[in-house]
Structures are given as C-alpha cells and as structure tokens.
Amino acid sequence: MNRQLQIDDFSLRAHCLAVERLRADPTRIVDLSATLERWQMQSGETRSDSHWAEWRTMLAAGVDAIEAATCSADDHAVVLRSVSPAGILITQEERDELRLAAGLGAVQPGERRSSSTGRTP
C-alpha cells in the first residue's frame, strides 16, 4: 500500500475511534466545538473555512452525522478528516497503535508527533 493510502487508513481508523469516544460521552462534542472555534480564531480566513463550516453543522447534528461524514473512504470524508478537530479524543499511545495498524510504522526519534489538546479520553 502506498504511503498516502496508509495515511488515509490511519485517519479513518482514528476517526472511527473518535466516534466511539463520542458515543461513550457525547458531551465531548463541546470540546471539539471549542477546538474548532479556537483554530478559526487563530488562523483567520483560510481555504478550510467551508470544511470547518461543515464540521460545525456536523457537531450540531450529533454523533451519527459525524460518523456518516467521516467514517467512510470516499474523497469528501478524507477531506473532512484532514481538517478535523477529532484528534483531541485519542491519546498519543493510541495514535502510535493506529500508525502501526495502518502500516506507517512507529514514530521515529525526531519525527513530529501530533499533539493533543483538551481532556484525555
């Protein structure tokens, strides 16, 4: 599998896990909304604005809408996952496990790690 497909697989796995977290505690949608709001305030106008607007709509609609829009392999879901605030719902250890499951290998020393903000799961 080429690297881009591995990255897409990782992202899909991460979002499916995030949806599981939201099903267990739907109040975490507030955390996602706050993250999205902070990103928009910090970045100003970007090409992601239309996708962030879609995220706001999904967050308002609830977990089923988030799952339907992000937990599939279609191109639009891939784009939505690329601008998603859902990363705050998974731990670094889980990210590492998902990387391995997607065939990306372990994070190497000096390689940039994604940072999570907000509450831990």
Side-chain angles (χ1 to χ4, degrees):
M1 181 183 305
N2 76 39
R3 183 146 177 94
Q4 187 58 53
L5 291 175
Q6 290 172 320
I7 292 168
D8 291 345
D9 184 49
F10 163 80
S11 178
L12 176 59
R13 290 170 186 264
H15 279 78
C16 290
L17 178 57
V19 165
E20 287 178 31
R21 293 280 158 71
L22 290 172
R23 289 206 184 284
D25 184 3
T27 64
R28 297 294 309 269
I29 288 176
V30 172
D31 297 332
L32 297 182
S33 295
T35 297
L36 186 59
E37 181 69 26
R38 186 177 68 252
W39 288 353
Q40 289 183 293
M41 294 198 55
Q42 290 173 345
S43 65
E45 189 173 322
T46 72
R47 289 182 287 171
S48 297
D49 287 350
S50 64
H51 300 299
W52 285 343
E54 192 168 349
W55 263 101
R56 281 193 305 278
T57 300
M58 289 186 304
L59 293 169
V63 180
D64 289 338
I66 296 167
E67 180 176 33
T70 64
C71 293
S72 72
D74 69 63
D75 289 344
H76 190 65
V78 171
V79 171
L80 289 174
R81 289 193 301 267
S82 75
V83 295
S84 168
I88 67 168
L89 300 176
I90 57 177
T91 66
Q92 187 59 54
E93 292 78 20
E94 290 166 330
R95 273 186 193 79
D96 293 344
E97 290 172 14
L98 293 171
R99 282 178 58 94
L100 289 172
L104 291 168
V107 175
Q108 300 300 313
E111 185 176 6
R112 182 176 173 233
R113 288 180 165 237
S114 299
S115 63
S116 291
T117 57
R119 298 185 311 201
T120 55

